[in-house]
Amino acid sequence: MNNSIGIVLTALAVLLGTALVASAATGEKTARQPVATVQIPPQPALYASEPPPLTVTQCGQCHPGVFRDIKNDGGRHTFQCQECHKSFHSYSPVKNNWAASMPKCASCHSGPSVPHVQIFTNCAECHVNPHAILKVPMTAKLLNSCATCHAGPPEQLRKFPSKHTNLSCADCHTSHGFIPSCNMCHKPHYEGQDFKGCASECHPVHMPKQISYKKDVGARTCGSCHAKIYAVWSTTPSRHGKVNCAACHTKHGSIPQCTECHGLPHSKQLHERFPKCLTCHQDAHNPPVRQR
């Protein structure tokens, strides 16, 4: 029995020795052998000087949306990024320091000289995007404070009632500073009318029933409401057919006297007999002409 155990132990020793020899021959590494590392030589010259500040376009390479916001709607914020951002990439999710790392409006905008500071103490309530300060959405607070800065329009709407009086400012001014075109709600008076000029030609937008116009307003515009008169005037062979409506009717609803342009063209006796010009010249828009 003892001989058998000895034979087995001897065989195991022989096999173990053979395996060690084979491993060494094939170059296998053992746990004690060191792992090879890559040696990168230091380059101190790369860090010999401080890097120059990033340019605006370089910042825009990683932040293209911010760059476009400032470019298109930045207003007075079109300056170097470092004027507001004193440190870059300092936000840490672990520290949750976003509010601390962002610049504060009060760093530049403070004191009584700040516009509407007595009403709006928090800039971000209106200027929700500091990189696009010209885009101001019509928030509830802003909508309820229109008259604070724009006293004229609300007063006009109240003093001269019209359908516009019953509208909210936000129905037309969908964002702060946005001036809508009349054709957002209204159709032109006639086909081909330049609808951009409707407010300036006839209807002040906050008191549209108070018709006013300039001397060069087109007669076709007048004819939109005064169709019968326009039809007569546009076909008259008299010299009045070459005179624009606003040249005589300097204000809406005004009826001029003939003598304002013509003086007393006839003899004294004739004017005394017929003091009213329209007794003979029966229609001011189509007065009779001498037939030759």
Side-chain angles (χ1 to χ4, degrees):
M1 184 70 176
N2 291 333
N3 291 334
S4 299
I5 294 174
I7 294 172
V8 171
L9 292 174
T10 302
L12 289 173
V14 172
L15 291 173
L16 181 58
T18 303
L20 290 173
V21 173
S23 175
T26 57
E28 291 184 5
K29 297 176 183 178
T30 64
R32 294 181 178 179
Q33 289 179 315
V35 178
T37 58
V38 177
Q39 297 296 326
I40 301 177
Q43 303 179 53
L46 295 176
Y47 299 89
S49 60
E50 291 293 322
L54 292 174
T55 65
V56 170
T57 53
Q58 286 173 331
C59 293
Q61 290 175 349
C62 292
H63 305 280
V66 172
F67 181 88
R68 285 192 295 269
D69 282 346
I70 298 177
K71 177 181 179 180
N72 298 328
D73 299 291
R76 294 183 179 181
H77 283 188
T78 51
F79 43 63
Q80 288 286 347
C81 305
Q82 292 88 342
E83 296 293 337
C84 291
H85 299 278
K86 304 302 181 183
S87 63
F88 294 92
H89 304 154
S90 56
Y91 168 69
S92 171
V94 177
K95 297 180 181 179
N96 193 24
N97 62 338
W98 178 262
S101 62
M102 288 297 102
K104 304 297 184 291
C105 301
S107 299
C108 296
H109 307 285
S110 61
S113 61
V114 177
H116 42 254
V117 69
Q118 302 301 326
I119 305 299
F120 303 102
T121 57
N122 183 2
C123 302
E125 284 184 319
C126 297
H127 302 283
V128 294
N129 182 351
H131 300 112
I133 58 173
L134 297 183
K135 280 189 175 181
V136 181
M138 294 296 284
T139 60
K141 182 169 184 178
L142 183 64
L143 189 59
N144 293 330
S145 307
C146 292
T148 302
C149 299
H150 309 282
E155 176 64 17
Q156 292 173 347
L157 290 167
R158 184 194 63 78
K159 188 176 180 180
F160 303 100
S162 68
K163 290 184 178 180
H164 286 188
T165 305
N166 300 324
L167 298 177
S168 166
C169 298
D171 288 333
C172 297
H173 304 282
T174 52
S175 63
H176 186 264
F178 173 70
I179 300 177
S181 173
C182 299
N183 60 13
M184 289 178 59
C185 299
H186 304 282
K187 295 181 179 180
H189 290 303
Y190 60 90
E191 185 178 356
Q193 182 185 20
D194 182 8
F195 215 54
K196 295 178 181 179
C198 63
S200 61
E201 283 190 343
C202 295
H203 306 284
V205 291
H206 299 112
M207 43 183 185
K209 291 185 177 180
Q210 304 302 306
I211 308 300
S212 63
Y213 45 76
K214 298 179 181 179
K215 288 186 177 181
D216 59 351
V217 62
R220 184 67 182 86
T221 299
C222 300
S224 300
C225 295
H226 306 282
K228 292 183 179 180
I229 294 176
Y230 178 78
V232 172
W233 172 85
S234 60
T235 57
T236 181
S238 70
R239 292 181 180 180
H240 282 192
K242 298 179 181 179
V243 179
N244 196 34
C245 303
C248 296
H249 304 280
T250 54
K251 293 183 179 180
H252 187 255
S254 67
I255 300 176
Q257 297 298 314
C258 301
T259 54
E260 292 180 20
C261 292
H262 299 287
L264 298 175
H266 304 295
S267 65
K268 180 180 179 181
Q269 295 79 3
L270 188 62
H271 281 290
E272 289 177 350
R273 184 177 179 184
F274 301 103
K276 294 184 179 180
C277 300
L278 294 182
T279 302
C280 299
H281 304 282
Q282 300 166 3
D283 188 340
H285 299 103
N286 183 27
V289 295
R290 180 180 296 177
Q291 301 295 325
R292 297 189 180 185

